[in-house]
Amino acid sequence: DAKTTQPPSMDCAEGRAANLPCNHSTISGNEYVYWYRQIHSQGPQYIIHGLKNNETNEMASLIITEDRKSSTLILPHATLRDTAVYYCIVRATSGTYKYIFGTGTRLKVLA
Amino acid sequence: GAVVSQHPSWVICKSGTSVKIECRSLDFQATTMFWYRQFPKQSLMLMATSNEGSKATYEQGVEKDKFLINHASLTLSTLTVTSAHPEDSSFYICSAIGHTNEKLFFGSGTQLSVL
């Protein structure tokens, strides 16, 4: 079973920041938080991942709470092309390291 | 980023025939590949995990004789849907991870329609 919970859907105005929350209250110390997104009828695309520190790359920022029980993916300036389903996954990088997808958040960016 | 190529993108077949889907890692050696299936408006469901040179590990409820997985090399894995039936119609997605075991890269998916 997936170890994360996310809101099923969100809307965001184009040009505004999109903040997508994820709850992973049972995360273990060796598990990373990964974010992927899936645009309709395509394979998921990697966005970002982190362990405990906040991370930023060219696509997004990842904010992980100090207790690591939740995180937020931030798309700083959402565009229409960011409309997709966003998945938050927790996964260890050793031992059993399967990627189990939850239900994700369907983000709709509005013009 | 790393590229995973999946072929074919879509396939239509008659009930009772077998269909093979290929998944290739183009610029890295894939020590492990994962196969998923996805029904419309649903999330990805992990079917099996395959390591190069060894038998695939199937998730509970996935028939290993129905979905044959071969991972013969570090760059190629195949999924064969044997004796396909209409209920096997789905979007199948492969993914691969390399030695660093850090990021999972996905193919573009295969839409299978069984008539």
Side-chain angles (χ1 to χ4, degrees):
Chain A
D1 292 341
K3 300 176 69 172
T4 62
T5 55
Q6 299 174 251
S9 64
M10 292 181 65
D11 290 343
C12 176
E14 188 178 19
R16 303 295 295 270
N19 297 280
L20 293 93
C22 179
N23 183 291
H24 33 79
S25 57
T26 61
I27 192 170
S28 300
N30 66 339
E31 288 181 320
Y32 285 71
V33 180
Y34 284 79
W35 282 84
Y36 283 79
R37 72 181 183 184
Q38 185 180 28
I39 297 172
H40 183 62
S41 298
Q42 297 182 26
Q45 175 191 24
Y46 167 82
I47 301 173
I48 199 167
H49 74 284
L51 183 61
K52 53 183 178 181
N53 296 322
N54 298 337
E55 302 288 344
T56 295
N57 63 20
E58 65 279 3
M59 289 184 70
S61 295
L62 173 60
I63 308 298
I64 302 174
T65 58
E66 193 168 340
D67 64 6
R68 302 186 69 237
K69 292 185 177 183
S70 65
S71 61
T72 301
L73 177 74
I74 302 172
L75 306 178
H77 305 287
T79 70
L80 298 178
R81 288 181 296 179
D82 292 322
T83 292
V85 179
Y86 287 76
Y87 295 100
C88 167
I89 302 162
V90 296
R91 170 190 176 267
T93 56
S94 62
T96 303
Y97 45 79
K98 296 184 288 189
Y99 282 73
I100 304 298
F101 283 74
T103 53
T105 296
R106 188 172 297 273
L107 175 70
K108 183 183 290 185
V109 180
L110 306 173
Chain B
V3 177
V4 174
S5 174
Q6 186 172 345
H7 178 81
S9 299
W10 57 270
V11 58
I12 301 172
C13 70
K14 293 181 178 179
S15 184
T17 60
S18 295
V19 175
K20 180 184 283 188
I21 302 169
E22 289 190 352
C23 181
R24 295 180 183 272
S25 56
L26 297 185
D27 53 359
F28 69 103
Q29 293 185 325
T31 53
T32 303
M33 287 188 171
F34 302 90
W35 287 93
Y36 294 83
R37 67 186 298 183
Q38 185 177 34
F39 293 106
K41 297 190 182 302
Q42 294 187 22
S43 185
L44 284 76
M45 183 191 78
L46 181 64
M47 299 175 67
T49 302
S50 75
N51 295 298
E52 184 264 339
S54 60
K55 290 184 179 180
T57 302
Y58 291 81
E59 295 298 301
Q60 190 173 6
V62 178
E63 300 174 58
K64 63 179 180 180
D65 295 329
K66 173 77 170 175
F67 300 99
L68 300 179
I69 292 173
N70 183 285
H71 191 166
S73 76
L74 284 172
T75 59
L76 174 64
S77 177
T78 60
L79 167 67
T80 301
V81 183
T82 62
S83 187
H85 292 284
E87 57 265 30
D88 298 323
S89 297
S90 186
F91 190 56
Y92 292 88
I93 310 170
C94 74
S95 57
I97 197 163
H99 291 291
T100 62
N101 198 21
E102 190 171 348
K103 296 179 191 175
L104 189 65
F105 296 97
F106 287 83
S108 54
T110 298
Q111 181 63 52
L112 171 63
S113 297
V114 184
L115 305 178

